[in-house]
Amino acid sequence: MFLSLKNNFWHPVRLKANRRKKLGTDNDLVEVLSRDWQNIGDKLRERIYKHYWGYLMGVALRYVSDRDTAGMVVNDSFMKIFSNLKTFECTDLENFNKILKGWMAKITARTALNEIRKHKASTLQEPLTDEHDWRFPVMLQDNLHVENVWDLINNLNPNYRKVFTLYEIEGFNHDEIAELMGITASSSRVYLVRAKEKLKMLYRTLMV
Amino acid sequence: MDSEEKKLIDEIRDGLNNFEIPYEEGNWENFQKSYGEKLNGEEKKRRKAPLILWKYISAAAVLIGILIYIPWQWNGKEDVRHDRVAEHRKTSTKDKGPSLPMQDQRDIKVMSSRDDRPIAQAINRTFITNDELVDNAIMRLNADDTQPVIGTHEKVPTLPSLVSPAITEEETASSGWKESTIASIDRQEQHGTTSGRWKFGVEVNSSFTTDKPNVAAGILTQFEVSEKLKLSTGLTYSRISAIHDTDPVQLSYDTKMIGGESTIKAIDIPLTVVYEPTDGWYASVGVSALAVLDEDKIYRMESEVLRENVVTDPTSGASVSVFEVIKSEYSEKSMDTDFEGRSNLSYLNLSIGRKQRFNKRTDLLFEPFIKIPMGGLQRGDVNLLNSGIKIKVLF
């Protein structure tokens, strides 16, 4: 019985097992998605959610500090992702996962910023004074660990952190950041410069 | 940017991009619980929208089919009636004798089985065009021969009594059939054919509900039920913007929703009755079913930001904080929709118009209109009432 099942490649049980095996790994999920991401069923949706949840939590935590809010942002983002997956475009299938993650991250960043805008308790925009306008020379000692990176990011002023991550990590331009944050593009540029200076200063004080 | 700074930023970027939290069990179930219905609802709506569209298109097709079928049926019945008139005539002539010249043929429509041409019409045409000529067509209705035969035309003096309406009335009364006068026969000749009663055309219209103009374009067909009454239907693609008349809602201490706007792309299928009391002027009333293809809904938000400005007093050199409240408006796209995928969306359409004959076959129509939302379109907070002008070309 076992032999006949083993030899019969087209046996339904075998096919199901093959399919499970095929969809079993994360790489396979990306491969399946890259072939037809516009028509996904409930099963695939669940796998996408479980696969990218951790990554999107990481994205959300760049903007909101508490985990519950980040979880809510991620769920809102997944809702938008599933609703708009048909509109996602990717011609470079070699880098499908990277492009898809970038697209998802942008949606999550926007959702997080909207969430902040809705519930912010106090938005004291930092004045554009010259008080931080000095440069730090920095020498990297070794590769940074993830904890170190988060230490650096968490010690930034919220607006600097937002502009820095939106520009350097998510890849928005200054005009887009200005629109997202309700500031001017020139303010965004200034915040970015200051964020970088602050990061160098923090690196010196915290890491070295 | 120096290389060390670049390296630091790259390190941070890599660190953040590679940062992932291990999946925590139960999150998918929570997501499904909170969003599953909404997600499935959206999918259903997306699937339902083309179905609704097809429903409306099929309804329009059936309607057009019925409108085409009924006039043909009427024509068939008229033919039968004419045959019965002929039979009746035949019977009455039989009483009077085997061969009787018909003195008044104005109101007789007898179908000859040889060429299917109304005999009386042919006769009357001759009669009208030449006063001196009386088409003395004689229908020889032989008792043995049931086929009506048209006699030869002869020039005879006009007899006033032959064209007297009194005789016609008398004759028609005695015949027991309601028969047409020359004028009505001629009119019937004009409007009698089904193809002559149908007109097809295109229309564009522009209307206003918000500061943005709504535009629509489509095709239409019009069936002439009678000289003054027409039925019209068609298919119009329209884009409608609607303002949400809502009171501001305070969402958080610094953000409030001050309104919204919906933009709808829809197929409008109207059924209209057109009454044309005088040549060139008309009024119409009808209903139209709306199948919404796409809907964009945005909320207009207003946020107040407290900004602190630190200024230095030039005399004392002390730093002073100055706070100011900055109001900013922005739009946020809504995930939900009010009309997309819903049925029972209709408009009551009222209009008056002016028809201008462009050439023998083409009419140009200018039609100010008002569309009053009904059914599912009748919402208190979304104002979809719109009015504007239609321009139609009918062939």
Side-chain angles (χ1 to χ4, degrees):
Chain A
M1 172 66 190
F2 176 74
L3 269 176
S4 68
L5 181 65
K6 195 179 174 185
N7 291 333
N8 186 1
F9 182 77
W10 297 107
H11 192 280
V13 177
R14 173 104 189 159
L15 265 181
K16 204 172 175 182
N18 278 343
R19 186 176 164 76
R20 201 178 297 129
K21 192 182 165 193
K22 199 175 180 185
L23 295 174
T25 65
D26 292 342
N27 284 341
D28 287 337
L29 169 71
V30 174
E31 198 190 320
V32 170
L33 260 183
S34 67
R35 279 203 296 266
D36 189 10
W37 66 84
Q38 288 167 329
N39 296 303
I40 57 162
D42 277 343
K43 290 265 177 204
L44 206 52
R45 203 177 281 158
E46 182 182 345
R47 297 207 60 221
I48 293 168
Y49 183 92
K50 287 181 175 173
H51 181 67
Y52 291 104
W53 181 87
Y55 170 68
L56 294 189
M57 275 297 279
V59 175
L61 284 168
R62 293 173 201 165
Y63 303 93
V64 293
S65 39
D66 80 287
R67 234 179 140 90
D68 288 345
T69 313
M72 207 168 70
V73 166
V74 167
N75 278 353
D76 277 352
S77 307
F78 268 117
M79 177 69 200
K80 291 174 187 172
I81 287 163
F82 290 138
S83 303
N84 295 292
L85 204 55
K86 279 182 196 285
T87 63
F88 171 67
E89 285 176 5
C90 178
T91 47
D92 182 11
L93 294 179
E94 291 285 311
N95 294 309
F96 179 82
N97 193 36
K98 197 178 164 190
I99 295 167
L100 180 67
K101 278 171 91 173
W103 181 72
M104 287 177 166
K106 279 197 170 190
I107 290 176
T108 309
R110 283 180 193 274
T111 311
L113 288 175
N114 279 340
E115 194 60 32
I116 293 165
R117 195 155 41 187
K118 275 184 204 164
H119 299 106
K120 63 192 159 191
S122 146
T123 313
L124 289 177
Q125 293 193 5
E126 190 152 321
L128 302 178
T129 59
D130 292 337
E131 77 179 290
H132 303 303
D133 201 9
W134 35 277
R135 298 174 72 83
F136 294 95
V138 63
M139 292 293 285
L140 280 182
Q141 302 299 309
D142 204 348
N143 282 353
L144 286 169
H145 292 288
V146 172
E147 298 80 28
N148 305 143
V149 170
W150 280 103
D151 276 345
L152 288 174
I153 292 294
N154 285 334
N155 274 291
L156 280 178
N157 165 297
N159 282 339
Y160 292 177
R161 188 168 80 172
K162 281 179 216 161
V163 172
F164 178 80
T165 47
L166 286 170
Y167 187 89
E168 291 291 351
I169 318 297
E170 260 70 75
F172 287 101
N173 63 38
H174 285 297
D175 290 330
E176 287 171 323
I177 295 168
E179 195 191 329
L180 281 167
M181 290 183 60
I183 57 173
T184 61
S186 58
S187 295
S188 170
R189 284 189 190 90
V190 172
Y191 286 171
L192 181 67
V193 170
R194 288 187 182 167
K196 286 176 180 175
E197 291 302 323
K198 192 100 177 177
L199 281 171
K200 283 192 273 184
M201 186 192 78
L202 287 167
Y203 179 76
R204 276 172 63 88
T205 52
L206 296 171
M207 311 292 159
V208 181
Chain B
M1 192 192 293
D2 59 62
S3 63
E4 289 300 323
E5 183 185 308
K6 190 177 179 298
K7 198 178 171 191
L8 173 67
I9 290 166
D10 285 345
E11 288 279 347
I12 293 170
R13 188 183 294 128
D14 290 346
L16 288 178
N17 276 334
N18 294 327
F19 176 72
E20 282 189 25
I21 292 173
Y23 177 70
E24 290 166 4
E25 287 302 324
N27 274 304
W28 167 250
E29 287 71 23
N30 288 341
F31 174 76
Q32 267 200 318
K33 216 179 282 173
S34 314
Y35 295 87
E37 210 169 285
K38 206 173 172 186
L39 202 61
N40 291 335
E42 279 211 355
E43 281 221 335
K44 270 183 201 165
K45 244 194 277 174
R46 219 173 282 137
R47 259 181 267 135
K48 209 177 161 187
L51 276 179
I52 288 174
L53 180 65
W54 276 111
K55 200 171 79 181
Y56 283 116
I57 289 173
S58 329
V62 168
L63 192 70
I64 291 168
I66 290 168
L67 286 175
I68 293 169
Y69 177 74
I70 288 172
W72 277 111
Q73 285 296 101
W74 283 351
N75 277 5
K77 280 176 188 167
E78 274 179 23
D79 290 348
V80 170
R81 202 188 79 180
H82 296 152
D83 288 344
R84 288 174 68 187
V85 171
E87 276 174 30
H88 184 76
R89 284 281 174 207
K90 188 177 73 184
T91 321
S92 33
T93 48
K94 262 188 205 168
D95 298 340
K96 289 172 188 175
S99 173
L100 187 69
M102 291 184 69
Q103 290 186 332
D104 184 8
Q105 290 103 5
R106 283 180 305 168
D107 10 321
I108 303 163
K109 284 179 82 181
V110 182
M111 297 302 291
S112 161
S113 62
R114 286 173 195 163
D115 59 0
D116 286 336
R117 191 171 164 216
I119 295 165
Q121 281 184 22
I123 294 165
N124 286 326
R125 222 175 285 125
T126 320
F127 182 79
I128 293 158
T129 50
N130 194 342
D131 277 350
E132 291 183 16
L133 266 179
V134 174
D135 197 1
N136 195 18
I138 300 166
M139 249 173 46
R140 298 177 193 283
L141 296 169
N142 199 310
D144 303 325
D145 184 11
T146 52
Q147 299 292 330
V149 179
I150 303 171
T152 50
H153 291 206
E154 288 173 24
K155 193 172 180 180
V156 293
T158 311
L159 296 172
S161 61
L162 289 176
V163 292
S164 160
I167 293 172
T168 311
E169 280 166 21
E170 194 183 302
E171 291 248 324
T172 52
S174 66
S175 68
W177 291 94
K178 191 187 172 192
E179 294 167 358
S180 314
T181 60
I182 295 168
S184 67
I185 289 171
D186 277 356
R187 214 177 291 130
Q188 275 187 4
E189 221 177 295
Q190 273 182 359
H191 302 292
T193 58
T194 310
S195 58
R197 288 180 171 194
W198 282 98
K199 284 200 164 186
F200 297 91
V202 289
E203 71 165 85
V204 287
N205 74 57
S206 181
S207 62
F208 283 91
T209 43
T210 60
D211 52 339
K212 293 176 198 162
N214 302 323
V215 284
I219 50 169
L220 73 149
T221 179
Q222 195 176 73
F223 175 69
E224 197 172 324
V225 179
S226 70
E227 200 186 1
K228 290 183 177 178
L229 201 68
K230 284 143 193 161
L231 282 178
S232 173
T233 186
L235 202 73
T236 310
Y237 175 78
S238 49
R239 184 192 156 283
I240 309 159
S241 295
I243 292 274
H244 295 222
D245 298 323
T246 48
D247 293 328
V249 180
Q250 197 76 36
L251 297 174
S252 64
Y253 91 99
D254 63 345
T255 307
K256 63 180 170 186
M257 191 178 80
I258 53 171
E261 194 179 322
S262 292
T263 306
I264 298 165
K265 287 167 188 161
I267 295 282
D268 189 311
I269 301 165
L271 178 62
T272 312
V273 179
V274 183
Y275 179 64
E276 194 177 331
T278 57
D279 194 26
W281 292 96
Y282 62 92
S284 76
V285 61
V287 288
S288 59
L290 205 74
V292 176
L293 306 175
D294 185 37
E295 181 183 354
D296 286 325
K297 184 177 167 185
I298 55 161
Y299 290 123
R300 284 188 297 118
M301 306 284 199
E302 188 184 84
S303 70
E304 291 175 350
V305 176
L306 188 65
R307 176 180 281 184
E308 182 190 12
N309 286 319
V310 181
V311 290
T312 312
D313 189 350
T315 50
S316 64
S319 292
V320 181
S321 286
V322 179
F323 291 93
E324 58 176 330
V325 176
I326 297 168
K327 281 188 179 180
S328 60
E329 274 192 28
Y330 62 95
S331 299
E332 201 169 294
K333 198 178 172 199
S334 167
M335 294 297 291
D336 62 319
T337 53
D338 294 319
F339 308 107
E340 195 178 343
R342 310 252 162 91
S343 53
N344 189 28
L345 305 174
S346 50
Y347 269 117
L348 171 68
N349 304 319
L350 302 169
S351 67
I352 51 166
R354 168 78 183 153
K355 186 166 80 177
Q356 193 70 43
R357 181 54 56 89
F358 201 63
N359 60 38
K360 199 179 172 187
R361 289 180 145 265
T362 314
D363 293 326
L364 192 62
L365 295 88
F366 299 93
E367 192 177 310
F369 68 93
I370 182 163
K371 287 172 88 77
I372 302 163
M374 294 198 310
L377 288 179
Q378 208 174 18
R379 285 181 49 133
D381 56 336
V382 186
N383 184 11
L384 281 161
L385 180 83
N386 64 86
S387 62
I389 188 159
K390 281 182 196 172
I391 299 171
K392 295 179 182 173
V393 180
L394 281 176
F395 312 102

